[in-house]
Amino acid sequence: MANDSETRSIFITGLRNAHAMENQALSIMKPQISRIEHYPQLARRLEQHYTETENQMRRLEEILGTLDESHSSLKDAALSFTGAMAAMGHSMAGDEILKNSMANFAFENFEIAAYKSLITIAELGGFQAAVMPLQANLKEEYDMAAWLDDNLRAVTIQFASLKEAGETAKV
């Protein structure tokens, strides 16, 4: 498939969507990081992924720039708002840390699917220069999803132990 206008349009839309998705991820992680008290390993990993996500957004902006395009401020704002609302909704739950952990795992898998699709469109459209930075983003999402998967049991056990001891366990 050639670098034709329809494939290019699909690719640009996907890049803008991915940028907005990463902006949403930042708005989800930021309040989580600021609220975590009893789960230092999780806080450290979220801080690391927050930095990775900022770098992912820069990679997406660079790809868009090479195509003489830019991200969509409207999409960014809309998804940032929905991310903040999701984080706020979880903050009211007595099991906030568990809800956040499950939602984060689901979101990471959504991001993985988004990057796999974007890489496919890049390959189909002949946007070879975009493949490597998109693969870097994909790897970071895989790594975060794997970390969450590997640590969900420990977070759940720690939450239950804190609750059994009568301590605040939600974050």
Side-chain angles (χ1 to χ4, degrees), residues 22-23 25-30 33 42-62 108 111 115 136-137 140-141 144:
E22 296 302 356
N23 204 21
L26 291 177
S27 70
I28 291 169
M29 284 186 284
K30 189 172 187 173
I33 293 166
L42 178 57
R44 280 191 299 279
R45 188 59 180 99
L46 283 173
E47 287 167 355
Q48 176 187 340
H49 195 56
Y50 191 93
T51 301
E52 290 170 348
T53 302
E54 290 175 324
N55 291 331
Q56 291 168 8
M57 290 178 72
R58 278 191 278 283
R59 287 184 203 115
L60 292 165
E61 289 164 5
E62 288 170 7
E108 291 304 320
E111 290 176 305
Y115 282 116
N137 286 10
E140 290 170 352
E141 302 303 356
M144 184 62 181

Side-chain angles (χ1 to χ4, degrees), residues 67-97:
L67 300 168
D68 293 322
E69 299 285 346
S70 64
H71 61 91
S72 168
S73 296
L74 181 61
K75 283 182 183 184
D76 284 357
L79 288 183
S80 179
F81 176 77
T82 61
M85 291 300 99
M88 187 185 321
H90 289 179
S91 71
M92 296 178 220
D95 60 348
E96 177 182 1
I97 197 72

Side-chain angles (χ1 to χ4, degrees), residues 109-146:
N109 280 281
F110 176 79
E111 290 176 305
I112 288 166
Y115 282 116
K116 289 173 100 174
S117 179
L118 259 178
I119 290 166
T120 301
I121 293 297
E123 292 168 343
L124 289 173
F127 303 104
Q128 285 311 117
V131 172
M132 191 176 298
L134 291 172
Q135 287 174 333
N137 286 10
L138 177 61
K139 181 187 181 317
E140 290 170 352
E141 302 303 356
Y142 268 126
D143 290 348
M144 184 62 181

